[in-house]
Amino acid sequence: MSNKRFATKLVHGGFTPDGQTGAVNVPIYQTSTYRQKKLGEPTGGWEYSRTGNPTRAALEKLIAELEGGEAGFAFASGMAAISAVLMLFNAGDKILVSSNVYGGTFRVLDKVFTRFGLKYELVDSTKLNNIEEKIDSSVKAIYIETPTNPLLEITDLRGVAEISKKHGILSIVDNTFMTPYLQRPIELGIDIVVHSATKYLGGHSDLIAGLAIVANGTGLADRLAFIQNSTGGVLQPFDSFLLIRGIRTLGVRMDRHVSNTEKIVSYLINEPAVNRVYYPGHPSDPGYSLNLTQASKGGAMLSFELAPGYSPEKFLENLNLIMLAESLGGVESLVCHPASMTHASIPADIRKKIGISDGLLRLSVGIEDADDLIDDIKQALEASRR
């Protein structure tokens, strides 16, 4: 599939029609184990579904093709994928992490992995010199999001890749917000890409899944495969099937997500009730020019801060179409309050320092009619006046 265009890879990657039946969809191999005809000779190489399952294998091959990596690995959640990647490191190792990182990533580092001796340091990765000056012999990786969650800040992927290679450390990027449809970090020199596939890749708010992809020539494929098999947080066959189905429509969904987002941003930046809009796909955003060099669009996530005199609580209570909910990336529009939801695990002083105010709202724009979404925002803003 390497010579096919991306939209074709989405539909045909990872699997060819079943040889026995001609089925055009990946079969759901709902089995835990496989018959062995002779001792030490598994049928087709399959032994036990924690180690490998044909449905999951098709998904893993698909995401590796889409991200341009050597191998892909499917996990039971995005946090399971991130945790497996963090298990590549040893006690005493330090990881530099984007200061504006997803709360769950911060929590697992701060509350779980530090108990086993892994160290981390938050750094403003939007300025490459901040990363460079923090690197010493203990630093073994740089972990970033771009755009970040929830302030949509942009980090130079090529620059991070160059720094990591210069110092012989790994570069890791959470590509959940952009998906490989809009941004492919491995092609820019990054070593590992992770996804919460629950979001845009699944696309329908009906599964929980995580993915990790490693670049060619890193020697990481066997190591991550060992961790996946040993710790066992694998994605089940039915969810693997659902995720493949979701990925097939990623291109058409993302086109609609992005066009809706651009319309909403154009409205919000001129709305007096809104103090600031965060969206790297708009020319007014500080990360706009850099984002254009590494992604095809600005994505479908935006955040905005209400002006003084407007209540976030009342705004959220008065939305009729847009739903207040955790998560993002589904066909329906979802809004959340980062300070009390996705980033509540980050201490208040750190939230304040990095710019996550109590008036900040994060919007995952769905594929509804954009004018209906704007109408819903307008009436909720009016109702939120203090």
Side-chain angles (χ1 to χ4, degrees):
M1 294 295 295
S2 60
N3 61 335
K4 301 299 182 184
R5 293 172 176 82
F6 196 81
T8 302
K9 289 182 181 180
L10 288 172
V11 177
H12 295 283
F15 175 75
T16 54
D18 182 68
Q20 283 190 312
T21 66
V24 299
N25 288 310
V26 180
I28 303 171
Y29 288 91
Q30 198 68 43
T31 184
S32 61
T33 192
Y34 308 83
R35 179 188 178 191
Q36 299 187 30
K37 293 183 178 181
K38 292 177 64 176
L39 189 64
E41 293 185 14
T43 304
W46 306 107
E47 298 179 71
Y48 186 61
S49 278
R50 170 170 45 79
T51 305
N53 175 279
T55 313
R56 191 176 86 232
L59 167 64
E60 292 174 332
K61 181 180 178 184
L62 172 60
I63 194 59
E65 289 179 4
L66 297 179
E67 285 285 8
E70 176 182 350
F73 302 90
F75 296 88
S77 70
M79 287 311 306
I82 291 169
S83 296
V85 169
L86 294 177
M87 291 178 198
L88 290 167
F89 303 98
N90 300 315
D93 291 348
K94 180 190 283 188
I95 301 175
L96 300 180
V97 182
S98 295
S99 55
N100 182 207
V101 74
Y102 168 55
T105 304
F106 173 85
R107 179 175 57 221
V108 78
L109 275 166
D110 189 61
K111 304 299 183 185
V112 179
F113 280 94
T114 55
R115 293 168 50 211
F116 305 107
L118 188 63
K119 302 175 182 179
Y120 75 92
E121 184 171 355
L122 299 178
V123 58
D124 179 2
S125 62
T126 63
K127 299 177 179 63
L128 293 178
N129 62 306
N130 289 343
I131 298 174
E132 188 90 50
E133 66 186 20
K134 294 290 185 179
I135 295 177
D136 58 28
S137 60
S138 69
V139 173
K140 304 301 180 184
I142 306 168
Y143 182 107
I144 65 170
E145 297 174 11
T146 184
T148 56
N149 180 9
L151 297 178
L152 290 307
E153 294 174 334
I154 302 299
T155 292
D156 183 347
L157 288 172
R158 291 183 182 86
V160 168
E162 289 173 5
I163 291 172
S164 68
K165 286 174 172 55
K166 173 184 173 183
H167 292 277
I169 61 179
L170 294 178
S171 53
I172 307 163
V173 172
D174 185 332
N175 201 32
T176 298
F177 273 20
M178 284 306 209
T179 81
Y181 185 69
L182 299 178
Q183 178 174 271
R184 291 185 285 281
I186 287 175
E187 293 181 359
L188 303 177
I190 298 298
D191 297 311
I192 304 174
V193 169
V194 294
H195 288 275
S196 173
T198 308
K199 313 312 196 281
Y200 290 107
L201 294 176
H204 294 80
S205 302
D206 58 3
L207 63 88
I208 302 290
L211 298 169
I213 307 93
V214 298
N216 283 281
T218 59
L220 294 170
D222 288 344
R223 292 174 61 194
L224 197 54
F226 177 82
I227 290 169
Q228 182 192 43
N229 184 46
S230 299
T231 58
V234 297
L235 191 63
Q236 295 302 303
F238 185 69
D239 286 337
S240 297
F241 168 83
L242 284 179
L243 185 49
I244 292 170
R245 187 179 68 169
I247 289 173
R248 281 183 156 189
T249 62
L250 177 66
V252 292
R253 286 188 287 106
M254 290 306 296
D255 286 343
R256 180 61 173 261
H257 281 301
V258 172
S259 66
N260 278 358
T261 304
E262 291 172 347
K263 291 177 183 177
I264 292 171
V265 168
S266 294
Y267 154 68
L268 287 174
I269 60 174
N270 295 307
E271 170 57 62
V274 173
N275 205 35
R276 181 175 176 182
V277 178
Y278 300 83
Y279 180 63
H282 193 274
S284 64
D285 191 271
Y288 175 75
S289 296
L290 176 57
N291 189 65
L292 282 180
T293 70
Q294 58 192 31
S296 58
K297 294 284 184 179
M301 295 298 300
L302 68 95
S303 293
F304 60 99
E305 193 171 60
L306 297 182
Y310 291 85
S311 165
E313 294 82 5
K314 288 183 179 178
F315 174 81
L316 295 170
E317 290 169 5
N318 283 279
L319 289 168
N320 296 319
L321 182 61
I322 301 169
M323 291 180 282
L324 173 62
E326 298 274 3
S327 200
L328 57 102
V331 294
E332 65 287 314
S333 293
L334 301 176
V335 66
C336 82
H337 182 244
S340 64
M341 295 173 72
T342 58
H343 290 67
S345 60
I346 297 178
D349 59 329
I350 297 179
R351 289 201 307 269
K352 182 178 180 180
K353 181 179 179 180
I354 63 179
I356 302 176
S357 71
D358 289 341
L360 184 74
L361 300 170
R362 190 193 73 183
L363 178 60
S364 169
V365 180
I367 65 171
E368 305 95 336
D369 188 290
D371 289 333
D372 286 333
L373 296 174
I374 291 171
D375 288 345
D376 196 31
I377 294 171
K378 283 181 179 178
Q379 64 83 24
L381 286 173
E382 183 60 33
S384 69
R385 288 178 180 270
R386 297 185 190 272

